[in-house]
Amino acid sequence: MLAIWRKALPRLPHPVALRRCLDQVVTAVLTQDPTSPAPYRSGDRGLLATIPPHKSLFHTPPGVGMPIGSLTSQFFANVYLNELDQFIKHTLRVPGYVRYVDDFVLLADDTQTLVRWQREVDAFLQTRLRLSLHPRKTVMQRASQGADFLGCIVFPHHRLPRARSLRALRRRLDWMRAVIFNTEPQRAPPGGAWQRWLRNHSPLTAPGVPSAPMLNRMLATINSYYGVFCNADTWRLRKHVYHRELGELKRFFLPSGAGYECLKIKTAWLQNP
């Protein structure tokens, strides 16, 4: 990574003094070891055991891996994988290529070409960048089947959300109804953030009457899914969710407009929760 950075550094349109400062910062970021000294751990330490080893810097060799969670990780991922972009576009001359950080798609007219490209890309990644294709996430299929890419199933002329996103929303709606109306949930409750939130907030002001914090929490959860759905061709789905999936929860919310881009709390509940 440092070698790639320093190769690109002279081309930056900045004075030498500024480039020198940038290089000092970049070197410090790339060579830091966030595991030493050992970080202070708080919260539920048992959750650390659920992190896959390949996603933790505590299980990587020295000098391998970068901490995530800051803008530098996304920036350096693009700097690093620019090498892959150049190889695919200028060496393999792939006409149909899309990449978003470490997810990418190659398009060709025949299977044999795709097989050859996959073999050459895998070899380039291993020899040039010390990376490898994920063995269970490398898929070869017809474009008409739809590509699972960035949260959507992308078809040649339209996009649809993943089925699991709708299942997750249904599970949360079912659980919200159970909390407010004291019914038996039909699906497993959501974990983590919702459970922690309920330990510190009262969900009801009376039986069947959600508190203002509960209304806002439900709205944020529902609208987060609407935000995902709006990235695909889902007007009918968004309308269906409001009219058919919310059930009794519909008494608390209204669609923002005819486009059903998001929901809002009914004025009556804002004034008299």
Side-chain angles (χ1 to χ4, degrees):
M1 182 70 244
L2 270 175
I4 292 171
W5 160 255
R6 287 175 176 157
K7 178 182 176 182
L9 184 61
R11 299 197 297 269
L12 294 182
H14 301 302
V16 173
L18 179 54
R19 293 204 301 267
R20 189 179 298 115
C21 291
L22 288 173
D23 189 47
Q24 290 176 346
V25 173
V26 167
T27 301
V29 170
L30 292 179
T31 58
Q32 67 171 319
D33 182 1
T35 66
S36 179
Y40 173 77
R41 294 179 171 88
S42 60
D44 185 356
R45 300 191 181 190
L47 293 175
L48 292 173
T50 66
I51 300 175
H54 71 281
K55 291 184 178 292
S56 171
L57 291 178
F58 290 99
H59 299 279
T60 59
V64 175
M66 288 173 50
I68 63 172
S70 63
L71 290 175
T72 56
S73 60
Q74 291 91 331
F75 171 76
F76 285 121
N78 281 327
V79 172
Y80 201 64
L81 290 176
N82 174 64
E83 302 289 310
L84 174 64
D85 297 339
Q86 301 303 317
F87 175 75
I88 288 177
K89 294 302 293 183
H90 298 296
T91 301
L92 297 184
R93 298 186 180 276
V94 177
Y97 169 62
V98 182
R99 180 178 67 81
Y100 184 86
V101 191
D102 61 345
D103 294 316
F104 61 95
V105 175
L106 279 70
L107 300 171
D109 293 324
D110 60 88
T111 304
Q112 292 76 16
T113 300
L114 286 174
V115 170
R116 176 172 58 84
W117 285 347
Q118 179 183 347
R119 184 172 59 250
E120 295 186 29
V121 165
D122 197 26
F124 174 84
L125 287 172
Q126 294 191 44
T127 57
R128 179 69 179 89
L129 299 177
R130 302 182 188 178
L131 299 175
S132 59
L133 297 174
H134 196 294
R136 296 190 301 276
K137 295 183 180 179
T138 303
V139 179
M140 193 172 300
Q141 62 183 43
R142 295 183 181 275
S144 59
Q145 294 177 259
D148 188 346
F149 191 65
L150 304 184
C152 291
I153 309 301
V154 183
F155 295 90
H157 303 293
H158 67 286
R159 299 183 304 276
L160 295 177
R162 291 169 172 164
R164 70 184 187 192
S165 297
L166 182 57
R167 289 196 299 268
L169 174 58
R170 284 171 171 159
R171 186 171 68 250
R172 282 160 174 76
L173 293 175
D174 181 65
W175 188 75
M176 291 174 193
R177 288 190 292 267
V179 170
I180 295 173
F181 302 112
N182 196 29
T183 60
E184 186 68 26
Q186 300 301 308
R187 300 175 178 88
W194 257 108
Q195 301 292 345
R196 291 192 296 272
W197 185 88
L198 284 176
R199 287 198 292 267
N200 301 308
H201 299 83
S202 176
L204 305 176
T205 58
V209 180
S211 63
M214 182 66 175
L215 278 172
N216 284 298
R217 179 78 184 189
M218 289 193 298
L219 181 69
T221 296
I222 295 170
N223 278 344
S224 69
Y225 284 92
Y226 267 72
V228 171
F229 296 158
C230 282
N231 289 318
D233 302 292
T234 57
W235 179 83
R236 286 189 177 87
L237 174 63
R238 301 194 302 269
K239 182 178 179 181
H240 168 83
V241 167
Y242 176 74
H243 289 286
R244 301 295 182 185
E245 302 283 354
L246 260 67
E248 293 176 289
L249 297 177
K250 195 167 72 169
R251 70 175 69 171
F252 307 120
F253 303 106
L254 283 172
S256 60
Y260 292 84
E261 287 88 0
C262 62
L263 304 185
K264 59 184 180 181
I265 300 172
K266 289 184 178 179
T267 304
W269 292 100
L270 290 173
Q271 296 174 346
N272 302 295

